[in-house]
Amino acid sequence: MLTRRIFSHAGEPWEGNNVPLQADIVLITKLWNEYSTGPCPISFSSAEADSIIHLQSMQEEVDLQLKLVRDFIGVGVDGWTSPDAYEAAYSCARQMKVDGLASLDTE
């Protein structure tokens, strides 16, 4: 599974997202002895590895929240909604924006 994830995540940096690939590489360095008998050619300091794993965890949480918002509004990952649902999705998104801005403490 890890090999498959690394392959899958390898294309994402070109889309502006290298956090999953970095997290996979950190994980492979930690599991290196299970895959090879030689020394791992990549290393991370503990602080660097912890930072990458924490960033991955935060990104997963934000991705989940974004999915919940998209599902609530009724749009896909690309922002598409059916023509029949457009007005309702637009209205919902607009109200969420108004409510979100109203909840801020500063201008």
Side-chain angles (χ1 to χ4, degrees):
M1 286 298 283
L2 182 57
T3 305
R4 176 178 250 190
R5 281 196 348 230
I6 289 172
F7 180 78
S8 174
H9 291 150
E12 292 177 358
W14 300 109
E15 297 172 11
N17 183 17
N18 65 1
V19 174
L21 179 60
Q22 286 180 350
D24 290 345
I25 293 171
V26 166
L27 184 57
I28 203 82
T29 62
K30 291 182 179 193
L31 301 173
W32 185 259
N33 292 334
E34 294 179 27
Y35 293 98
S36 177
T37 57
C40 183
I42 302 168
S43 65
F44 295 93
S45 69
S46 292
E48 192 176 23
D50 291 346
S51 175
I52 291 168
I53 298 301
H54 177 70
L55 188 57
Q56 171 68 8
S57 175
M58 289 180 7
Q59 182 172 334
E60 288 172 353
E61 177 62 31
V62 169
D63 288 347
L64 176 61
Q65 290 175 6
L66 184 56
K67 181 188 179 319
L68 293 172
V69 168
R70 282 194 315 263
D71 290 349
F72 183 76
I73 293 172
V75 297
V77 174
D78 59 357
W80 186 88
T81 190
S82 69
D84 295 338
Y86 176 81
E87 288 301 323
Y90 179 82
S91 176
C92 184
R94 188 144 181 75
Q95 189 60 48
M96 286 182 80
K97 181 179 179 181
V98 168
D99 294 345
L101 290 172
S103 72
L104 298 175
D105 294 336
T106 62
E107 192 174 313

